[in-house]
Amino acid sequence: MSQLSVSRLSVRYGPVKALRDVSLEIPKGQITALVGPSGCGKSTLLHTLNRLTDLVDGCEVRGSVRLDDDLEITEATTDVLALRRHIGMVFQKPNPFPHSIRRNFEIPLREHGVSRANIPGIIERCLRDVGLWDEVSTRLDRSALQLSGGQQQRLCIARALALDPEVILFDEPCSALDPLASAVVEDHIAALRGRVTVVIVTHNLAQARRIADRLAVFWVRDGAGTIVETGPAANLFTDPTDPDAARYLSGERG
Amino acid sequence: MLNPLAAAPRRARRLDRAIAIAGGAASFSTLAVFGWIVWDLIRLGLPNLSWHFLTGEVETAGRSGGIGPVLVSTLLILLCCLAVAVPLGIGCAVWLSEFVRRGSRASRIVTGGVDLLASVPSIVFGLFGMTFFCQVLGLGFSILSGGLTLACMILPILVRTTLLALEGLPADLRPGAAALGLTRTTTLRQVLLPTALPGILVAITLGVGRALSETAALLFTSGYSTRWPDSLGESGRALSVHIYDLAMNIPNGSPNASASALVLLVLILLINLTATGLTERWTRHLSGTTS
Ligand SMILES: Nc1ncnc2c1ncn2[C@@H]1O[C@H](COP(=O)(O)OP(=O)(O)OP(=O)(O)O)[C@@H](O)[C@H]1O
Ligand SMILES: [Mg+2]
């Protein structure tokens, strides 16, 4: 069953066409990786899934994105605050709030009406989920900015998990980290399989090969980004049909 | 053949040294001027300073007695000014940075107005205050009129400096907060404003410094009265006005003018130190090195 169905989606930033006529099924509980060269609209697609496109002046979205075959995400009347609770996001650069580790959880949890009594339990569960609990349990009241880059990124994943989302979007979550920290973060993303639907943009094809169930290859065609090939990751890596996608996946270009 | 590339480094090095020396000289002369002013104030003013001077009544037009009522009036004027200017200034900066598009017509009009306000000489604020607050609003020569006039005057510094603090925040804070489903109000109150607080304190400190050292805007608004103020509706003389009056209008007033100026200097220094201390503590609090 599809968690998210994107159909005939086009996005433009003023005169710049970022995406044209994109359709994509994102299955529940699986890891879908979006790959392709720079500027072909991968981040733009992620931002339409949780309506972060609303923050950009002049950004115009057409087409349909449905959550659980039920909620039309692109509809103006959609409650975006509730939507973003269901669809979390982790960015390329770790972006914890410059407050204590505890405040990083309290602010979003309180905003979504979780009672104070439940918060410590949620913090512990989510920090354990990303393997951070043993490292930080004694310094929850210290600043999140004192953590290393890899720890900050895992904190951001834990913070996203705290809201119990069905989907988490990852925009190049490892590209600002050193190889060891990157491997740790990747393992924790892979461990979400089955529990959370994951959509991940990555420039690291080896990473996509390791963790993705499904793959979508983006390319710029006629001045706008679009998906040139999509399917189970294993098939695409061994037997791509689109020539650009084939060259890109075999590492000849990009 | 000489290598043409070899000549450049030696010339560049000499230029480096020349610039370093010139810069050092400029810094030292600035420091020397400041030191000279302070030394002069201390030399002339310190002999007259005493507890009695700080708390006593103004006698014989300031030649003798103290500056007690003047200090109280000064602080009351400052409080009136901040009570109005701080919420207005921060509100305006928040609106400009978070609620209107940069470069939009509304934002251009407001920032243009603020910059225009910043370039108005203070004597004009004084005349405006006298007609608008004293006469049109009927507040008369009063501490309130003076405070409100000062508020108009320091508004541009508050807006500009707070805006700088908000625009200087890490760019990924806002999408990060939005992606967690936070409302704009929560983002502002729990994320952006606490993070920008040191910058906002700097804005307030700059405003206070400007307000305390202002004379022209207060001459026609809060007036000259040297009585102990009973209410904000009464005239009250600010320290800067007192100094001006002693130095310019009162024969033999200059020893006490120096003493008052020394008090003003110390007051401004104290406020600056407090603000720096608060900023440091807040930064430590956010980065979590306390507790
Ligand atoms: N806020 C914006 N305003 C204007 N144009 C934008 C904006 N964001 C993206 N674009 C344009 O939209 C197109 C797609 O950008 P997008 O960031 O989605 O690409 P991407 O595939 O994520 O690239 P990368 O791999 O470099 O992150 C690009 O041409 C880009 O210049
Ligand atoms: Mg991108």
Side-chain angles (χ1 to χ4, degrees):
Chain A
M1 183 196 141
S2 281
Q3 178 95 65
L4 286 159
S5 325
V6 178
S7 81
R8 313 224 50 190
L9 184 76
S10 297
V11 181
R12 55 195 306 160
Y13 298 101
V16 180
K17 291 197 188 92
L19 285 177
R20 183 191 298 123
D21 212 7
V22 167
S23 298
L24 180 67
E25 296 295 320
I26 295 169
K28 198 178 179 71
Q30 296 193 7
I31 298 180
T32 302
L34 314 181
V35 300
S38 253
C40 57
K42 306 178 298 291
S43 300
T44 300
L45 178 63
L46 284 195
H47 292 176
T48 46
L49 299 182
N50 69 349
R51 287 279 294 271
L52 231 43
T53 43
D54 289 14
L55 303 190
V56 182
D57 286 313
C59 180
E60 196 184 306
V61 177
R62 277 193 294 161
S64 146
V65 182
R66 296 184 88 79
L67 176 66
D68 297 327
D69 277 329
D70 174 32
L71 178 79
E72 178 55 61
I73 291 176
T74 56
E75 204 78 68
T77 52
T78 299
D79 176 357
V80 290
L81 300 182
L83 170 74
R84 289 172 188 158
R85 181 176 184 174
H86 292 289
I87 304 184
M89 182 157 191
V90 174
F91 295 78
Q92 173 173 8
K93 212 171 127 246
N95 61 350
F97 299 136
H99 305 324
S100 71
I101 296 172
R102 193 191 305 280
R103 282 294 285 158
N104 266 277
F105 289 91
E106 280 174 352
I107 294 173
L109 286 170
R110 292 296 295 156
E111 178 82 342
H112 291 283
V114 176
S115 79
R116 282 197 185 281
N118 293 333
I119 289 180
I122 297 177
I123 294 179
E124 179 173 348
R125 172 171 61 77
C126 296
L127 285 175
R128 279 192 193 284
D129 257 354
V130 296
L132 210 51
W133 177 252
D134 294 332
E135 290 161 55
V136 305
S137 61
T138 56
R139 47 170 173 160
L140 290 181
D141 291 306
R142 301 276 200 92
S143 168
L145 298 185
Q146 288 183 338
L147 302 175
S148 72
Q151 288 176 320
Q152 287 188 20
Q153 194 63 305
R154 281 187 281 151
L155 173 64
C156 291
I157 298 174
R159 185 176 66 176
L161 283 171
L163 295 175
D164 238 338
E166 295 156 49
V167 182
I168 300 186
L169 313 171
F170 291 87
D171 197 345
E172 304 181 41
C174 298
S175 61
L177 307 179
D178 74 80
L180 286 179
S182 162
V184 175
V185 168
E186 182 186 313
D187 288 345
H188 287 290
I189 295 172
L192 295 175
R193 193 191 326 266
R195 288 199 290 150
V196 182
T197 303
V198 169
V199 186
I200 178 171
V201 173
T202 177
H203 283 292
N204 183 339
L205 291 176
Q207 181 176 68
R209 197 192 286 267
R210 281 191 299 268
I211 67 173
D213 300 304
R214 295 184 64 82
L215 199 64
V217 183
F218 282 65
W219 210 264
V220 175
R221 288 276 162 82
D222 304 323
T226 189
I227 294 181
V228 292
E229 183 144 18
T230 173
N235 296 5
L236 247 65
F237 273 113
T238 53
D239 194 15
T241 50
D242 181 85
D244 286 328
R247 273 201 308 278
Y248 184 79
L249 293 177
S250 68
E252 276 174 44
R253 247 174 82 174
Chain B
M1 254 305 261
L2 255 171
N3 179 355
L5 290 178
R10 207 177 308 142
R11 251 210 336 261
R13 261 203 304 277
R14 228 180 294 140
L15 186 63
D16 267 3
R17 232 191 8 243
I19 287 178
I21 291 172
S27 314
F28 270 108
S29 29
T30 315
L31 202 67
V33 171
F34 180 69
W36 182 66
I37 294 174
V38 173
W39 169 242
D40 221 35
L41 281 182
I42 291 177
R43 191 169 56 83
L44 298 172
L46 200 58
N48 299 320
L49 271 192
S50 64
W51 183 244
H52 174 73
F53 183 75
L54 291 178
T55 55
E57 306 249 2
V58 179
E59 291 162 21
T60 59
R63 268 170 300 221
S64 56
I67 54 168
V70 175
L71 274 182
V72 172
S73 299
T74 307
L75 292 181
L76 288 178
I77 292 171
L78 189 63
L79 281 183
C80 285
C81 159
L82 292 182
V84 175
V86 168
L88 217 61
I90 293 179
C92 180
V94 162
W95 184 73
L96 283 173
S97 104
E98 309 300 323
F99 291 89
V100 291
R101 232 179 314 139
R102 210 149 307 163
S104 70
R105 189 203 293 237
S107 132
R108 280 210 314 272
I109 290 176
V110 174
T111 42
V114 166
D115 290 345
L116 198 67
L117 216 56
S119 66
V120 172
S122 51
I123 186 83
V124 177
F125 277 107
L127 292 172
F128 160 78
M130 183 177 69
T131 31
F132 187 68
F133 295 121
C134 302
Q135 294 166 8
V136 175
L137 296 189
L139 299 174
F141 271 18
S142 65
I143 289 172
L144 197 56
S145 299
L148 293 174
T149 308
L150 280 191
C152 301
M153 205 185 70
I154 70 167
L155 207 53
I157 317 182
L158 280 176
V159 174
R160 271 302 182 185
T161 317
T162 308
L163 194 58
L164 221 57
L166 286 171
E167 288 175 347
L169 292 177
D172 50 9
L173 234 39
R174 293 176 182 86
L180 287 164
L182 303 187
T183 59
R184 285 215 285 196
T185 317
T186 306
T187 306
L188 201 60
R189 282 188 26 202
Q190 318 242 24
V191 181
L192 302 180
L193 285 180
T195 315
L197 197 66
I200 296 175
L201 271 178
V202 169
I204 296 176
T205 315
L206 288 175
V208 168
R210 177 95 205 269
L212 277 180
S213 47
E214 183 51 43
T215 315
L218 293 177
L219 283 175
F220 321 123
T221 52
S222 52
Y224 301 87
S225 165
T226 53
R227 273 174 296 130
W228 293 96
D230 285 329
S231 75
L232 298 181
E234 275 176 33
S235 164
R237 181 186 285 213
L239 201 48
S240 53
V241 174
H242 190 56
I243 295 167
Y244 168 80
D245 198 47
L246 279 177
M248 303 299 291
N249 304 333
I250 310 291
N252 295 326
S254 65
N256 271 353
S258 297
S260 308
L262 193 59
V263 172
L264 182 60
L265 194 75
V266 170
L267 204 61
I268 290 180
L269 225 61
L270 277 182
I271 287 173
N272 267 304
L273 283 179
T274 315
T276 319
L278 282 179
T279 306
E280 255 165 33
R281 273 193 57 179
W282 184 250
T283 315
R284 266 209 314 270
H285 168 75
L286 281 186
S287 69
T289 33
T290 52
S291 88

